[in-house]
Amino acid sequence: EVAYPGQYDPTLLFPIPRAQARGEIGVDAAALPFIGHDRWHAYELSWLDARGKPVVATATLTVPATSPHLIESKSLKLYLNSFNGGQRYDSADAVRAVIVADLSAAAGAPVDVAFGLPPFVEGADGAESIDGLDVDIDRYGPPDASLLSADAAAIVEETLHSALLKSNCPVTGQPDFAHLVIDYAPQDSIVESKSLKLFLGSFRNHAGFHEDCTVGIGRRLFDEMRPRWLRIGGYWYPRGGIPIDVFWQSGAPPEGLWLPDQGVAPYRGRG
């Protein structure tokens, strides 16, 4: 068992020489009979921007077959998760430059890093994403419902979604990521979008199970707004090939309320 890092740490990377395994099958590293590369997909990458807002991304890492070293996979996961710590970065390019430099040093050859493949789900048609809202965030736990605020209701119904929720497993300490979709029918007030983003950010260092986090967010939103009805879907990214989807609603929906599909496709693995 290895403790998950609390801050950025490039020393977590563990290079493995290719020469021994290649020598066992008669491959001369100085005259490789093939060309190619190793390609890695990172699905759990997150950091804080210059204002403290969480950023989530995927990445494709390409290591040339001519590199003298591979990078041990568990050490790579621990290294990428070390970006979850409190260090802030001015831009995604700055993060990419750090990863490129660290992986290239470990592999002994230039490693290519590209963000954005595969893309994250965008949510249902008509849903409003809160992820791009311009706010400063400096509270990452424990979850703080006092960050929520409500405005006077001016719409009949609203759907919000976010891919920025991160918490930690209370058993293993591993990071967990989720895509949230929130549908509700207001009564007298609607949730202020920036306050919701601040509230979700306060889960970043919180240790909680998927169900507790999802249901807790739904209940706190309901308590703050007291809407006619509210539904939340928490679509948690798989660990060990097991995705968990958590749903909660405040009760039966009002008669005549249109309920769109939340727009998140079931997890299919690689089939």
Side-chain angles (χ1 to χ4, degrees), residues 111-125:
V111 174
D112 181 70
V113 176
F115 288 141
L117 296 174
F120 282 119
V121 63
E122 293 299 330
D125 291 341

Side-chain angles (χ1 to χ4, degrees), residues 65-128:
T66 51
S67 69
H69 297 95
L70 288 170
I71 299 171
E72 195 277 326
S73 60
K74 182 63 177 289
S75 76
L76 176 60
K77 181 177 180 180
L78 290 170
Y79 164 74
L80 293 177
N81 282 328
S82 76
F83 285 85
N84 290 328
Q87 185 168 343
R88 301 184 180 192
Y89 298 88
D90 290 334
S91 65
D93 285 341
V95 176
R96 195 186 75 84
V98 171
I99 297 174
V100 166
D102 292 341
L103 296 188
S104 298
V111 174
D112 181 70
V113 176
F115 288 141
L117 296 174
F120 282 119
V121 63
E122 293 299 330
D125 291 341
E128 176 188 350

Side-chain angles (χ1 to χ4, degrees), residues 9 39 53 99 126 141 159 171 190 202 213:
D9 185 0
R39 186 173 64 185
K53 293 182 294 182
I99 297 174
T159 300
V171 177
I190 60 174
S202 73
C213 292

